[in-house]
Amino acid sequence: MFGLPLAFAAPLVLAALAVLPAIWYLLRLTPPRPREVSFPPLRLILDLQAREETPARTPWWLLVLRLLLAAVIIVAMAGPIWNPTPAGDGKRGPLLVLLDDSWPAAPSWKERIASVTERIASATREGRTTALVPLSDGAREIAAGDATRANERLRTLKPVPHTVDRMLALPPIERFLSANADAEIVWIADGLASGRADEFADGLIKISGDTRVRVVTQDRTPVAIASSENAAGALEVSLMRADTRGQGSGVVRALDMKGLSIGEARFDFGAGRETKARFELPIELRNEIARVEIVDEKSAGATSLLDERWKRRRVGFVSGASADTSQPLLSPTYYLRRALTPFADVREVPSGRGDPILALLEDRLSVMVLADIGVVSGPAHDRLARFVQEGGVLLRFAGTRLASSSDDLVPVRLRRGGRVLGGSLSWESPKQLAPFPAESPLAGLNVPQEVTVTRQVLAEPDAGLPGKTWAQLVDGTPLVTAERRGKGLIVLVHVTADTTWSNLPLSGLFVDLLRRVVAMAGETGVADAGMGGETGAAPRIETVAPTRTLDGFGALGAPPLTARPIPVNFTGPPTAEFPPGFYGPSDALTAINTLAPTDRLELANLTASRFAMESLRRAEPLDLRPAIVAAAFLLLVADALASMWLAGGFDKLKPTRRRKGAAVAAFAVLLGLAAVATPHRAEAQPGPLESALRTRLAYVVTGDAQADEASRLGLGAVSRALANRTALTPGDPMGVDPGRDELAFYPLIYWPIVATRPQPSAEAVARIAAFMRQGGTVVFDTRDALTTRPGGAPTPEAQWLRLLLAGVDVPELEPVPRDHVVTKTFYLLDQFVGRTTVGQTWIEALPANGLEQVNRPARAGDSVSPIVITSNDLAAAWAADRNGNPLYPLVPGGHRQREMALRGGVNLVMYTLTGNYKADQVHVRDLLERLAH
Amino acid sequence: MVDVRLLDADEQGAGALHQLDALDLARRLPSLIVAAKEVAATVMHGVHGRRRAGAGETFWQFRPFVFGESTSRIDWRRSARDDRIYVREREWEAAHTVWIWCDRSASMGYVSGLALQPKLDRALMLGLALADLLVRGGERVGIPGLTRALASRNIVELLAERMIAESVRPGFAPAELPPADALAPRTQGVVISDFLSDPDDIAAVIRGMSARGALGHLVMIADPVEETFPFRGHTEFRDVDTTARLRVGEAESFRDDYVKRLALHREALRSAASSRGWSFIVHRTDRPASEALLGLRMRLEAGQGAPLRGSA
């Protein structure tokens, strides 16, 4: 509407705007409420009323405000929609949606789905059926259905990672259109020419007759990676785009096999359609790259997979010829260097640095090239043999030296001297190359006719020779032979690396041959075709199964069910059966990319003259009603405030006492709510502050409700007994969590062992240990006196305790001796009884009795025992309710046992608080006697 | 526009019916008492500070003993100085009574942004300060219909207490005008109010109070707004004591009429007062209270002197 992407659901309501003048008139007639003013002397002028009662006007700004309010409400009721769904072209027939779901659609897939969903919804509103045709599955017959079916179909759709042939969809569309002549056709196209888009467009126009096909394309054309090449010094990624509407610049990211980012490189198309991005990384890192993708362009085309063929090898070569730098074109190293440099890192050792082979092998080579070196001997030979055994590739070129004598590092036995073809002493003409055997790794390479061989070394016709032959001349003599040794490979080219024996080094085949050989470095363990060697009958691998494949968004994942193994030398473009991705075993993956290096992105010929073009809108329809209603509400509030101001109502808002009271009450309620909303610990227990201010006993909250309750009540009873009988008035007992609470406030912590509870955390154990080291006493109560048997297996509680104390520095323990001070601190006790009486109580062992101490009635160490272990279930014996009634039955029972248990508790607490004081106290009588004398 | 408001019912202590409100007044009165005492002190020193040198003496004058009088009244110390015998006359015997009445009706609880304090507060403060001043000057002070004439040193507290007690009484409604009972001769009445009643009613009250020859003073407390009428625009005026309302389209057009009416009203009051020998003061709440107190004090002394002289 008015060039804006604005539409109304009920435009007729807008007619109500016509009543605005009437509202204006009415508003003018009804002025706002007058200011109300108290005025005591009013009676003086009460009789003046009849005079000059001019009607007050509503202020103009209030009028405007109210008219705006009315207008806004009317607009809101008309249901304004921003970015409305375009209306259909009035057709009543079914809606046919053709959806491009190849990889170029992936970056804008969400918008495509949204667009289709909208169209389906709008067709459903008009009571029309919908047929959805994903063009990757176009050959299927088309049937129109309701929205549910179409939406279900839509939800299952994902972009496919390969280029689809749209022409397959044309016949079913034609049949559908002949059945539904009034169908509306919408083609959600990706705009690219690939997949025979132009033919499809022409066909679509032909079969659609006078119906104008709507074509919806995205605004941003896709960007793709054409190829990537591990060049010297950097990994070069070629990028392309269909036109300048694509992403102009951005970032390419290189990932390794695990999906970790190795590096990023910027690219910038400028005004062009192609560009390159370079990853300048060390070769080791570059060889790790398994995938290159364009950041922010999620599609299979923007992803390039790299396998072994992209790995850059380090190649060293040694020439037997003396280095003659004055005539480089006669040197074999010249051709090798020129041929290898584009795809490998070439290492060469300057002459005069000892044994060049040894020097190069130090350099972690992948491929070693020996040009015309006859015999390698001594340490170099051993080293070279080991290199091959461990997976290196040894590539040798023949020459006069090799022809005269050779060592064992050759794939075949060589006949001395070789043969000369087409020379002055020969009547044979120079030989050309035969096509490569199908099982040869070199198969598929172009055989140039101009390559001739004038001289070569000859292999002895041994039994395994045909299996070792990679290339041969037209007369069948082997030209390239190879043999696998250990993990490595030895390849022999029966001609020189320079042009003296053959013009092979001048041809492109030389480069390709080197490339193939170098690519084999590292492919260890793969029984490649033609690598039979001794095991010439090794089974040929026809196909490799998909390992991980790309989806349309360029993400690697498990291969779909439809994916099939590819033939070994698969080159063609990927299809639904052979989706792009990695194939083969994980150590020798073959990468199949969506786009071949020669592919170019071209725009399809979708012009406005032939189609009704629409843009794939990114913006979803936005119902403006809530926003406008909110605006109306704000205007209403503004109007109310203005009216109030005009009537002098703000004067009443002066804070009087009563309103102040109300405000305070409201604030208090808010505060209360905030307090309720604030999470806090639910236990109504004294906090650490109270613990610090008052001595109180503590127990460890085990999490077992019954044990915790017994602990709480038991310690409460002991606390009361202490308050009644001793000078100590402890506070209410405190449940602590050793892992969380500060323990320093408590002289004694009671810890009932519950074997079913998990062990406390290591941190909690550390804190318990610190507590004991710093003078606290922990009373562990295993409560298993009735189940434990002397000499029997430890009870679960005992095991639990042992496990716990494994992390604590526990002193030597002994059963409480009769003269221990803990038995004398308040009451004179024989033993510490609890709910049971048979259990033993252990305490830190006292130092051995000195002679002078023999007669002392009480003994004490220098400090309080940090640990007391009992099994008598003390807390349960102490536990009593508020009225002092016992809560747990005792064994054997009786009031005296309970009293003795309490006395034991009192003694324990007094012991922890007074230490060895009582041990000194027993001497008082002696001291007094001494003083009296 | 000036912002005006009426004190809430609970703020308007003396006009309320229940105890809470009385407590509110009680809460309010201490500060008023302090203020009243302060005001009274300034006035005292300002007018006749040295006249009361040697304070504590209640001595008024010596006069020669007249035979037939009780001999116990002879001041022997004075008489011993010469041959005559003197009688000591004490001041209290000559003390006069001033009846102070403060309007506590609803219209008094009116305050505008221009005023220093509500009319009610100003009236109570003025009344209590006057009472304090007079008692310290030796006069006796009372509230007509509420207390007898008192000369207590803590007269301010006493009067305030009585007012609170009255306002707590169930069924209490503050009157707009004092009871028209005749005051005793040679006493003086002070009526502090906004006098927004019918002038005839006020004249009747003055007549009644002065029926036995008592003199009096009317202090009209007025909020500045009540004099200037600074209202504009569409306004609805609401009476305070009654339910009358007046809605006017343009309040500013009423100003001249109002000012005229107010002048007439005051003139009527002035004439009603002067016809009985009473004085009439207008006091605005935007002026300091001491100003009114000083004027009142002067007039009281003038009024005091005249009947004394007349009777002498």
Side-chain angles (χ1 to χ4, degrees):
Chain A
M1 179 167 283
F2 315 124
L4 291 174
L6 180 68
F8 290 96
L12 284 183
V13 178
L14 291 179
L17 288 173
V19 304
L20 282 184
I23 294 176
W24 175 70
Y25 184 70
L26 284 174
L27 283 178
R28 269 180 67 89
L29 279 191
T30 52
R33 265 188 80 206
R35 270 172 73 96
E36 222 172 71
V37 170
S38 299
F39 196 60
L42 181 65
R43 61 189 92 167
L44 299 181
I45 50 169
L46 259 184
D47 53 335
L48 290 178
Q49 190 162 9
R51 251 197 44 193
E52 211 174 333
E53 185 63 19
T54 51
R57 294 266 175 82
T58 308
W60 66 267
W61 49 267
L62 189 64
L63 213 56
V64 168
L65 185 71
R66 287 178 175 174
L67 284 180
L68 191 62
L69 178 59
V72 162
I73 289 176
I74 290 170
V75 169
M77 288 182 64
I81 299 171
W82 191 256
N83 295 325
T85 316
D89 48 6
K91 289 204 171 285
R92 304 304 307 159
L95 171 72
L96 176 64
V97 179
L98 309 173
L99 178 65
D100 268 352
D101 55 349
S102 178
W103 63 265
S108 52
W109 188 249
K110 260 188 197 167
E111 289 92 69
R112 282 163 202 276
I113 295 295
S115 174
V116 175
T117 311
E118 273 166 37
R119 279 161 213 281
I120 291 172
S122 111
T124 308
R125 275 200 297 276
E126 292 165 18
R128 298 153 64 195
T129 53
T130 309
L132 175 64
V133 182
L135 290 175
S136 67
D137 194 15
R140 195 187 282 200
E141 279 306 310
I142 303 167
D146 59 359
T148 322
R149 212 177 113 191
N151 279 328
E152 267 175 20
R153 183 84 198 276
L154 197 58
R155 271 196 292 277
T156 61
L157 284 182
K158 289 266 177 295
V160 296
H162 51 86
T163 308
V164 301
D165 185 2
R166 295 189 183 84
M167 290 307 284
L168 295 176
L170 215 46
I173 294 172
E174 189 171 9
R175 285 194 289 279
F176 178 80
L177 287 181
S178 60
N180 304 278
D182 54 351
E184 177 193 354
I185 308 171
V186 176
W187 178 18
I188 316 265
D190 57 28
L192 293 189
S194 58
R196 298 161 80 186
D198 289 330
E199 280 176 65
F200 179 73
D202 293 341
L204 204 56
I205 286 178
K206 206 165 68 197
I207 61 174
S208 61
D210 53 350
T211 310
R212 204 163 160 79
V213 178
R214 291 166 172 273
V215 174
V216 182
T217 54
Q218 78 272 36
D219 294 329
R220 221 180 78 170
T221 51
V223 184
I225 296 181
S227 63
S228 37
E229 190 183 358
N230 213 338
L235 177 73
E236 276 190 351
V237 181
S238 307
L239 298 114
M240 58 187 176
R241 55 178 179 173
D243 64 358
T244 51
R245 287 180 299 161
Q247 191 179 0
S249 63
V251 174
V252 190
R253 181 184 294 152
L255 306 160
D256 69 1
M257 206 60 196
K258 292 171 185 156
L260 302 177
S261 175
I262 287 179
E264 290 188 348
R266 292 205 61 79
F267 68 89
D268 190 356
F269 280 104
R273 288 177 51 194
E274 291 179 23
T275 187
K276 282 187 190 298
R278 285 170 63 85
F279 291 95
E280 295 187 356
L281 296 168
I283 181 169
E284 289 86 355
L285 278 180
R286 269 186 280 141
N287 286 346
E288 284 295 309
I289 296 174
R291 182 154 59 109
V292 178
E293 62 181 24
I294 301 174
V295 179
D296 297 335
E297 184 84 8
K298 299 284 178 213
S299 79
T303 307
S304 173
L305 302 177
L306 282 68
D307 61 13
E308 288 292 321
R309 287 169 290 173
W310 277 269
K311 301 261 187 294
R312 224 177 142 76
R313 307 297 176 196
R314 193 168 278 170
V315 178
F317 56 80
V318 181
S319 170
S322 59
D324 189 354
T325 50
S326 60
Q327 290 177 306
L329 293 183
L330 296 181
S331 159
T333 58
Y334 176 79
Y335 299 96
L336 283 172
R337 191 183 308 115
R338 291 298 295 263
L340 285 169
T341 306
F343 56 89
D345 278 1
V346 177
R347 293 301 167 98
E348 205 177 348
V349 176
S351 57
R353 252 190 56 188
D355 193 330
I357 295 176
L358 278 180
L360 278 177
L361 286 177
E362 293 297 317
D363 220 359
R364 298 205 312 283
L365 298 177
S366 297
V367 178
M368 183 79 184
V369 182
L370 300 180
D372 191 18
I373 289 185
V375 178
V376 182
S377 60
H381 174 268
D382 298 342
R383 186 75 184 76
L384 200 58
R386 201 162 73 239
F387 164 74
V388 173
Q389 287 289 337
E390 287 170 356
V393 171
L394 176 64
L395 175 63
R396 302 187 75 157
F397 284 89
T400 48
R401 294 179 188 80
L402 188 71
S404 59
S405 64
S406 68
D407 53 20
D408 60 338
L409 291 173
V410 286
V412 292
R413 224 149 44 81
L414 294 178
R415 189 175 291 178
R416 294 283 149 259
R419 72 163 174 172
V420 180
L421 307 163
S424 52
L425 293 176
S426 159
W427 46 88
E428 280 177 285
S429 59
K431 288 284 184 279
Q432 290 177 324
L433 262 67
F436 297 108
E439 66 272 18
S440 160
L442 306 179
L445 291 183
N446 209 5
V447 179
Q449 291 304 309
E450 69 272 13
V451 171
T452 55
V453 173
T454 55
R455 195 176 162 188
Q456 67 167 150
V457 290
L458 282 176
E460 291 282 358
D462 290 333
L465 184 61
K468 295 180 181 177
T469 304
W470 283 10
Q472 55 196 357
L473 299 179
V474 284
D475 62 354
T477 44
L479 183 67
V480 181
T481 53
E483 187 195 24
R484 203 165 262 295
R485 286 226 184 132
K487 293 179 182 172
L489 182 70
I490 298 176
V491 182
L492 174 67
V493 181
H494 291 230
V495 292
T496 54
D498 54 18
T499 54
T500 51
W501 285 16
S502 159
N503 61 357
L504 176 69
L506 295 180
S507 71
L509 180 63
F510 187 64
V511 180
D512 289 339
L513 184 133
L514 284 175
R515 190 192 290 271
R516 286 276 171 108
V517 171
V518 169
M520 279 175 182
E523 281 186 12
T524 53
V526 186
D528 226 320
M531 299 298 297
E534 303 80 37
T535 58
R540 272 186 45 160
I541 296 177
E542 303 273 350
T543 58
V544 280
T547 310
R548 303 174 74 196
T549 57
L550 287 175
D551 64 5
F553 295 110
L556 277 174
L561 294 176
T562 55
R564 287 175 36 201
I566 51 165
V568 171
N569 291 321
F570 180 83
T571 52
T575 62
E577 289 181 343
F578 309 125
F582 286 116
Y583 288 77
S586 60
D587 50 354
L589 292 170
T590 305
I592 302 295
N593 277 314
T594 308
L595 292 171
T598 50
D599 284 343
R600 287 291 170 266
L601 297 183
E602 300 290 346
L603 281 185
N605 183 21
L606 302 171
T607 53
S609 58
R610 302 160 72 206
F611 296 101
M613 299 297 292
E614 276 178 25
S615 169
L616 185 69
R617 287 175 307 101
R618 304 176 62 84
E620 291 180 6
L622 183 65
D623 192 351
L624 295 180
R625 222 170 336 185
I628 292 189
V629 167
F633 177 73
L634 289 180
L635 283 174
L636 201 63
V637 170
D639 177 65
L641 288 175
S643 305
M644 204 166 153
W645 180 67
L646 282 179
F650 284 126
D651 301 340
K652 295 179 185 156
L653 292 182
K654 288 268 170 62
T656 63
R657 194 170 51 90
R658 194 169 281 172
R659 290 201 184 93
K660 264 187 234 160
V664 166
F667 187 62
V669 167
L670 277 179
L671 267 187
L673 283 177
V676 167
T678 313
H680 57 277
R681 282 170 64 181
E683 309 101 291
Q685 278 197 348
L689 186 63
E690 285 76 34
S691 300
L693 293 177
R694 192 162 181 194
T695 303
R696 60 180 83 235
L697 307 179
Y699 59 94
V700 169
V701 178
T702 59
D704 181 279
Q706 202 182 350
D708 293 344
E709 185 68 5
S711 303
R712 190 175 69 80
L713 293 172
L715 289 184
V718 169
S719 297
R720 282 197 296 278
L722 284 165
N724 287 338
R725 305 178 186 187
T726 73
L728 172 69
T729 309
D732 286 336
M734 176 87 178
V736 296
D737 175 357
R740 195 182 54 200
D741 293 321
E742 177 57 59
L743 304 176
F745 309 123
Y746 312 106
L748 181 141
I749 295 179
Y750 178 74
W751 192 328
I753 304 297
V754 182
T756 53
R757 299 298 302 172
Q759 285 278 335
S761 66
E763 187 199 0
V765 172
R767 297 181 66 161
I768 281 288
F771 171 74
M772 286 164 58
R773 247 197 321 279
Q774 289 157 7
T777 299
V778 184
V779 178
F780 291 102
D781 193 338
T782 54
R783 310 188 300 163
D784 58 353
L786 292 182
T787 55
T788 187
R789 267 178 292 153
T795 58
E797 287 82 6
Q799 279 173 337
W800 198 93
L801 180 60
R802 282 180 197 175
L803 199 58
L804 171 71
L805 293 181
V808 181
D809 183 18
V810 180
E812 186 190 347
L813 299 181
E814 64 178 352
V816 178
R818 293 187 61 107
D819 56 352
H820 194 282
V821 72
V822 75
T823 63
K824 314 249 180 315
T825 47
F826 198 81
Y827 292 104
L828 298 177
L829 298 175
D830 297 336
Q831 58 171 351
F832 291 88
V833 301
R835 206 166 59 76
T836 55
T837 57
V838 296
Q840 189 64 267
T841 303
W842 296 77
I843 201 162
E844 181 181 6
L846 292 175
N849 254 339
L851 280 177
E852 73 279 11
Q853 291 184 330
V854 168
N855 294 324
R856 294 181 62 164
R859 285 190 304 137
D862 287 337
S863 62
V864 175
S865 170
I867 184 169
V868 176
I869 300 176
T870 181
S871 56
N872 276 337
D873 199 359
L874 305 180
W878 299 333
D881 63 10
R882 275 278 156 208
N883 300 323
N885 298 320
L887 293 176
Y888 297 94
L890 305 186
V891 181
H895 182 261
R896 179 161 177 80
Q897 184 185 347
R898 201 175 299 278
E899 172 60 23
M900 292 313 285
L902 263 183
R903 290 184 177 184
V906 171
N907 262 26
L908 271 177
V909 176
M910 296 314 280
Y911 170 64
T912 59
L913 291 174
T914 62
N916 53 13
Y917 167 69
K918 282 285 176 164
D920 298 336
Q921 198 60 10
V922 295
H923 296 289
V924 164
R925 206 174 59 187
D926 295 337
L927 291 171
L928 287 178
E929 279 177 4
R930 205 175 294 169
L931 283 173
H933 286 141
Chain B
M1 198 175 297
V2 181
D3 131 60
V4 301
R5 76 185 174 99
L6 202 59
L7 295 186
D8 280 352
D10 51 351
E11 287 183 294
Q12 214 171 332
L17 297 175
H18 41 81
Q19 200 159 5
L20 252 187
D21 298 339
L23 289 177
D24 283 336
L25 180 62
R27 187 199 65 193
R28 182 182 209 74
L29 274 168
S31 62
L32 287 180
I33 286 168
V34 172
K37 284 184 170 171
E38 276 177 10
V39 170
T42 43
V43 168
M44 201 150 50
H45 292 292
V47 174
H48 55 112
R50 276 186 207 91
R51 199 178 142 184
R52 284 178 56 84
E57 287 286 336
T58 53
F59 167 79
W60 182 248
Q61 69 175 9
F62 292 113
R63 65 170 171 80
F65 179 70
V66 179
F67 286 100
E69 268 184 300
S70 168
T71 51
S72 66
R73 298 183 64 186
I74 295 172
D75 187 289
W76 294 108
R77 188 185 295 257
R78 174 68 184 86
S79 304
R81 289 201 211 151
D82 60 27
D83 297 337
R84 294 207 201 158
I85 296 171
Y86 293 95
V87 171
R88 172 189 286 262
E89 277 200 332
R90 294 180 190 264
E91 193 185 359
W92 61 267
E93 286 174 330
H96 281 253
T97 303
V98 177
W99 298 96
I100 301 175
W101 188 87
C102 295
D103 184 0
R104 284 177 281 155
S105 66
S107 67
M108 291 295 285
Y110 185 70
V111 59
S112 74
L114 301 177
L116 297 173
Q117 62 191 143
K119 294 198 288 184
L120 175 67
D121 287 13
R122 178 55 60 89
L124 287 172
M125 192 173 125
L126 212 50
L128 295 175
L130 187 62
D132 187 47
L133 189 65
L134 290 170
V135 168
R136 289 215 246 166
E139 317 286 2
R140 291 194 295 167
V141 175
I143 299 176
L146 195 57
T147 63
R148 56 191 178 83
L150 300 160
S152 166
R153 191 170 281 278
N154 56 349
I155 182 69
V156 174
E157 288 83 353
L158 269 177
L159 292 186
E161 273 172 30
R162 297 304 290 268
M163 275 194 272
I164 293 167
E166 187 195 16
S167 60
V168 174
R169 218 169 50 217
F172 167 78
E176 277 194 68
L177 287 172
D181 304 335
L183 302 180
R186 291 204 291 177
T187 59
Q188 294 196 52
V190 174
V191 181
I192 307 173
S193 171
D194 52 4
F195 295 114
L196 291 176
S197 318
D198 191 3
D200 295 339
D201 294 346
I202 300 170
V205 167
I206 294 175
R207 272 201 304 279
M209 290 176 80
S210 63
R212 290 170 65 193
L215 285 181
H217 312 276
L218 306 184
V219 182
M220 184 178 190
I221 307 285
D223 196 274
V225 167
E226 293 174 349
E227 286 203 340
T228 55
F229 199 73
F231 303 112
R232 287 168 53 211
H234 192 50
T235 312
E236 186 179 70
F237 293 107
R238 210 171 42 198
D239 197 5
V240 175
D241 290 324
T242 68
T243 56
R245 279 166 181 271
L246 176 65
R247 180 177 289 199
V248 295
E250 286 176 6
E252 55 265 42
S253 67
F254 275 75
R255 182 179 297 144
D256 293 343
D257 284 327
Y258 171 75
V259 171
K260 217 175 286 172
R261 289 290 179 92
L262 185 65
L264 280 178
H265 179 69
R266 287 185 179 171
E267 196 46 51
L269 293 182
R270 202 182 302 273
S271 62
S274 58
S275 69
R276 305 298 293 183
W278 287 36
S279 69
F280 178 74
I281 314 171
V282 177
H283 174 63
R284 274 167 50 165
T285 50
D286 59 343
R287 307 295 306 168
S290 54
E291 197 178 280
L293 191 59
L294 190 59
L296 208 49
R297 163 91 199 184
M298 309 283 275
R299 277 160 215 260
L300 273 171
E301 284 190 356
Q304 220 168 40
L308 277 177
R309 270 196 304 275
S311 66

